[in-house]
Amino acid sequence: MKVETLTCALGAEISGISLAEAGANDDLAGAIEDLLLKHKVLFFRDQDMNDAQHAAVARRFGELEDHPLTTSVNGEPGIIRIWKSPESPPERYENSWHNDATWRECPPMGAVLRCIECPPVGGDTMWANMELAFERLPDRVKEDIIDLRARHSMESTFMAAKPIQDQLAMKERFPDPEHPVVRTHPVTKAKALFVNAFTTHFTNFLTASRVRYGQDYTDGSGELLRYLISQAQIPEYQLRWRWTPGAVAIWDNRCTQHYAVMDYPPCVRRMNRATIMGDRPF
Ligand code: SIN
């Protein structure tokens, strides 16, 4: 196995292994898990895998979950299709910086994304290291946010385009959760900034020490949230991956965010994603 670090921030490309084999090989799967903790996102090219093998690799990390709005692959629950073409519905929401599904009480631990078909150019995916983003914040900001909590909601992204009755029904199924703004990784114990496109507002910003009088008492909180969400946009924390058919990415959703670059319409891009269930953030 060869491991090539891709940027100073995060990411490594692994060659010389078959992921299909890793799904059934404890030593190989263990080595990949260790590398994921170290590099946060791993890439593999030219993997000849079917959906069942794709799901088997992802299950090495935990149970899989579907997405309430995205089509799953027939016969392989846990693998969703992120397929875009001129014929597909116009929804293209992956081009915002996000951790997957933080609108869940327990957002995914990670995901395994496999490229079936990609445009000749464009359609890259970017990742950002949110532990680095936290580490590089000014100390006074770190102190200010360490105990803050924030609400996350589907409504702030893809559900906003749906009819109100669908929004209400979805909220019944997935009540908007509250998560810590600074999350501790359950394995490494490292701290990561944990606000993204799904985050709507802080829930405990107004304490005795922050009470202000007058009509603009929430301004400070909105500006702080926007500033924190914008940290994923800093190039020094990022990596950009160019897809080829058969390439696979595995990421740790607890400490990274990603952004699928939407520069390729009207070309076709077909990706299958296995989403791995995670823990309640603390
Ligand atoms: C996602 O947001 O999980 C999809 C990423 C991609 O399609 O590149």
Side-chain angles (χ1 to χ4, degrees):
M1 185 194 310
K2 186 172 155 213
V3 180
E4 189 190 347
T5 301
L6 292 181
T7 70
C8 296
L10 78 168
E13 182 169 347
I14 317 296
S15 50
I17 73 156
S18 151
L19 277 180
E21 196 189 320
N25 178 325
D26 290 346
D27 290 343
L28 206 46
I32 292 172
E33 283 178 42
D34 291 345
L35 285 167
L36 185 63
L37 287 176
K38 180 168 176 199
H39 296 284
K40 300 179 172 54
V41 51
L42 302 177
F43 300 96
F44 307 79
R45 292 232 185 248
D46 303 322
Q47 297 294 318
D48 188 14
M49 277 201 296
N50 58 32
D51 290 322
Q53 289 165 325
H54 181 169
V57 176
R59 279 203 190 92
R60 302 304 306 217
F61 296 91
E63 287 306 307
L64 307 188
E65 67 190 17
D66 286 317
H67 189 285
L69 287 184
T70 311
T71 318
S72 294
V73 168
N74 277 347
E76 212 45 77
I79 303 259
I80 60 167
R81 284 182 169 164
I82 306 175
W83 290 17
K84 310 283 161 147
S85 72
E87 290 76 43
S88 57
E91 290 124 5
R92 294 166 185 260
Y93 299 124
E94 296 84 19
N95 62 339
S96 60
W97 282 103
H98 64 285
N99 311 73
D100 281 326
T102 58
W103 38 266
R104 289 185 187 271
E105 285 287 342
C106 295
M109 163 270 147
V112 180
L113 184 67
R114 174 168 132 248
C115 176
I116 313 288
E117 182 179 356
C118 55
V121 285
D124 299 350
T125 308
M126 301 173 72
W127 279 263
N129 178 344
M130 300 313 293
E131 289 175 3
L132 196 56
F134 175 69
E135 191 188 307
R136 300 263 174 95
L137 287 172
D139 285 343
R140 67 179 165 74
V141 177
K142 284 189 202 167
E143 279 164 30
D144 257 14
I145 66 171
I146 197 73
D147 293 322
L148 283 183
R149 299 181 63 77
R151 186 79 60 209
H152 292 238
S153 175
M154 292 182 194
E155 243 170 50
S156 64
T157 62
F158 53 85
M159 272 320 280
K162 303 284 178 200
I164 185 66
Q165 60 273 25
D166 293 4
Q167 293 188 26
L168 293 172
M170 195 62 90
K171 200 172 278 233
E172 285 265 306
R173 285 178 65 197
F174 299 98
D176 295 345
E178 192 184 296
H179 295 307
V181 166
V182 181
R183 177 180 186 170
T184 304
H185 195 288
V187 184
T188 66
K189 308 298 179 213
K191 296 208 177 301
L193 194 54
F194 198 62
V195 286
N196 65 61
F198 294 116
T199 315
T200 56
H201 60 281
F202 298 126
T203 53
N204 63 344
F205 183 80
L206 289 174
T207 56
S209 61
R210 286 203 184 99
V211 168
R212 291 178 59 192
Y213 300 94
Q215 293 178 7
D216 65 341
Y217 68 94
T218 55
D219 274 7
S221 105
E223 275 164 22
L224 178 60
L225 182 58
R226 272 193 296 280
Y227 164 73
L228 295 176
I229 289 175
S230 74
Q231 296 304 296
Q233 298 168 9
I234 295 177
E236 283 78 4
Y237 307 158
Q238 296 173 355
L239 163 150
R240 183 169 178 142
W241 175 252
R242 178 146 188 213
W243 291 102
T244 44
V248 173
I250 305 180
W251 67 87
D252 189 330
N253 192 53
R254 300 164 292 194
C255 55
T256 64
Q257 292 190 28
H258 54 281
Y259 182 113
V261 180
M262 208 60 71
D263 56 355
Y264 58 87
C267 290
V268 172
R269 183 177 185 269
R270 294 191 297 137
M271 312 291 284
N272 281 8
R273 189 182 85 192
T275 316
I276 306 152
M277 288 182 189
D279 303 327
R280 184 181 302 276
F282 62 90

